[in-house]
Amino acid sequence: MAMPYSFTTRAVHAGRDDLNELGVHAPPIDLSTTYPARDSHTEAARIEQFASGEQPDGSPIYSRLHQPTVARFEEALAELETAESAVAFASGMAALSACVLAVSAAGKSHVIAVRPLYGGSDHLLGANLLNQEVTYCRPEAVADSIRPDTGLVVVETPANPTLAEVDLEALAQQCGSVPMLVDNTVATPVLQQPLRHGAAIVLHSATKFLGGHGDVLGGAVCCDEAFARRLRQMRVVTGGVLHPMAGYLLHRGLATLPVRVRTQAATAAELATRLTQHSEVAQVAYPGLTAGRPKQMETGGALLSFRVRRDAAAVISAVKLITPAVSLGSIDTLIQHPASLTHRVVGASDRDDCGVDDRLIRLSVGLEDVEDLWNDLDQALSGQEL
Ligand SMILES: *Cc1c(COP(=O)(O)O)cnc(C)c1O
């Protein structure tokens, strides 16, 4: 499935090149944990190859070393992110941990992080649990924060939950030769492909839009083949592998990703505009809402956040159609209070500094009809029964 085809076509067909030859229509799900082998000597050599992050043809030997169903998802996602390779993990956090471990194993244990980040990522980096050191800074201060042992610059754009945008090309210049890791969970490759804007590594919580139905946990890293080998090596050792059933579902999710994301984003844009005119809403954050056009994204995406004048918790508990829940990117609309839930692990003053205050509500817009969503939001905001 190569280039002349458009993005939507590739989303449907990527990772399926061999299906005709196999005589099947849906990708097979291989649930084996081990694979029969008669020749122990060649097997031993191939184990070495897998352990060093290569992917030799033939038997996977053991499914922590290689997983054919997951490999299809990896191939398809790499193609959509315009990456040489992709490596899938059990969750987005497992994917981020593997990146941090892979650079520290190479002697670079200092990470620069641009806030705000997803609460779990902020916690992973800040809590020093992986023995790395972190410097948090504004995008403009990245160049000055780089040290000889800096292994990664981590950024999220648009950021979760403030939807603040960072200019990736300007940041890439500041990074110099230090790899820039962009968490592309919120934009997805449909709306933004960070590798085209100077990123070396793209991270996904596949749990969100890639899966898209709120029923799979997974993560992935898209990068060049050299870094992919180091990540596979880390994955073999630490074991944060994606289950083949999850690999199948995530691969299937990619086929409808462009349709879902574009529809959800159009509804989000409409809701964002209407919310700016609501008397109970003090402020709305949505990429491109005031500036006219988001920076490097095709449209503003399916996530928005807004500051309310009343108690945010009261608004959230009053929704009827929308689900009050953490997570994002599902086919149904989810609402949550970042300061209490997803960003609780970030200290209160750091939260305030990056705009995640108590009045902020985050909405992940699904595929429901825009009028039904608006009516639900309006009644919850106004505190009146429908
Ligand atoms: C959810 C999320 C993560 C973490 O992913 P998990 O799959 O929950 O481990 C990382 N980054 C962003 C932006 C997220 O929304």
Side-chain angles (χ1 to χ4, degrees):
M1 243 309 100
M3 277 324 264
Y5 293 108
S6 78
F7 185 89
T8 27
T9 303
R10 286 183 286 131
V12 172
H13 289 278
R16 289 169 164 84
D17 284 350
D18 60 339
L19 296 190
N20 262 339
E21 203 180 307
L22 288 174
V24 296
H25 185 226
I29 304 174
D30 178 353
L31 292 171
S32 306
T33 54
T34 188
Y35 295 83
R38 301 273 165 220
D39 182 343
S40 304
H41 293 297
T42 47
E43 199 80 338
R46 296 179 65 260
I47 287 183
E48 294 292 318
Q49 286 181 295
F50 280 123
S52 66
E54 290 172 43
Q55 300 195 95
D57 287 336
S59 159
I61 302 177
Y62 184 60
S63 69
R64 179 157 44 74
L65 308 182
H66 183 76
Q67 217 303 312
T69 308
V70 170
R72 288 181 181 277
F73 163 62
E74 292 172 331
E75 186 191 326
L77 181 64
E79 196 173 314
L80 299 185
E81 282 288 6
T82 70
E84 210 176 348
S85 304
V87 185
F89 292 89
S91 67
M93 294 315 300
L96 179 60
S97 314
C99 293
V100 172
L101 289 170
V103 295
S104 8
K108 307 262 185 180
S109 56
H110 177 239
V111 174
I112 296 173
V114 177
R115 270 183 171 142
L117 290 177
Y118 170 72
S121 309
D122 194 298
H123 181 60
L124 169 80
L125 298 172
N128 201 25
L129 294 173
L130 301 180
N131 237 354
Q132 85 290 2
E133 224 188 306
V134 65
T135 301
Y136 292 106
C137 70
R138 304 282 316 145
E140 317 78 70
V142 165
D144 289 338
S145 308
I146 291 176
R147 314 190 317 207
D149 62 342
T150 306
L152 279 179
V153 173
V154 178
V155 64
E156 218 177 286
T157 181
N160 173 6
T162 59
L163 286 314
E165 280 189 281
V166 174
D167 184 331
L168 289 178
E169 279 164 26
L171 187 63
Q173 292 232 317
Q174 297 232 14
C175 293
S177 61
V178 178
M180 176 168 91
L181 181 155
V182 179
D183 186 329
N184 203 30
T185 300
V186 171
T188 82
V190 177
L191 302 182
Q192 162 180 291
Q193 293 157 5
L195 296 176
R196 294 184 190 274
H197 301 285
I201 303 164
V202 170
L203 182 98
H204 277 283
S205 168
T207 315
K208 314 295 166 54
F209 289 99
L210 304 190
H213 294 69
D215 56 4
V216 201
L217 203 66
V221 183
C222 305
C223 54
D224 64 15
E225 175 58 17
F227 193 63
R229 281 188 189 187
R230 290 160 63 189
L231 291 173
R232 287 188 212 107
Q233 201 174 17
M234 206 45 83
R235 185 176 62 179
V236 165
V237 175
T238 58
V241 295
L242 188 69
H243 190 273
M245 201 60 216
Y248 174 85
L249 288 170
L250 292 175
H251 189 194
R252 187 170 75 162
L254 292 182
T256 53
L257 184 69
V259 184
R260 284 187 282 109
V261 168
R262 291 198 175 109
T263 307
Q264 291 172 223
T267 306
E270 174 64 22
L271 293 175
T273 306
R274 291 192 194 183
L275 283 168
T276 56
Q277 288 145 21
H278 200 287
S279 59
E280 293 297 329
V281 174
Q283 206 182 1
V284 181
Y286 184 69
L289 185 64
T290 48
R293 204 187 155 265
K295 285 194 189 77
Q296 57 255 314
M297 284 171 82
E298 179 186 293
T299 67
L303 212 63
L304 63 93
S305 59
F306 54 99
R307 260 186 203 94
V308 286
R309 299 191 201 282
R310 322 170 38 205
D311 176 27
V315 174
I316 289 168
S317 62
V319 293
K320 297 189 162 101
L321 171 67
I322 297 169
T323 306
V326 297
S327 199
L328 56 97
S330 186
I331 44 168
D332 57 327
T333 301
L334 306 175
I335 196 165
Q336 67 108 7
H337 188 224
S340 320
L341 303 172
T342 48
H343 290 68
R344 186 178 189 77
V345 289
V346 183
S349 74
D350 291 333
R351 276 204 305 265
D352 283 345
D353 282 352
C354 61
V356 187
D357 57 67
D358 284 346
R359 298 266 159 171
L360 191 75
I361 291 179
R362 187 187 77 189
L363 192 71
S364 168
V365 177
L367 286 173
E368 300 94 334
D369 183 82
V370 64
E371 300 303 334
D372 292 333
L373 291 173
W374 176 249
N375 290 340
D376 195 25
L377 281 175
D378 185 33
Q379 66 81 23
L381 281 163
S382 314
Q384 289 160 359
E385 292 294 306
L386 266 184

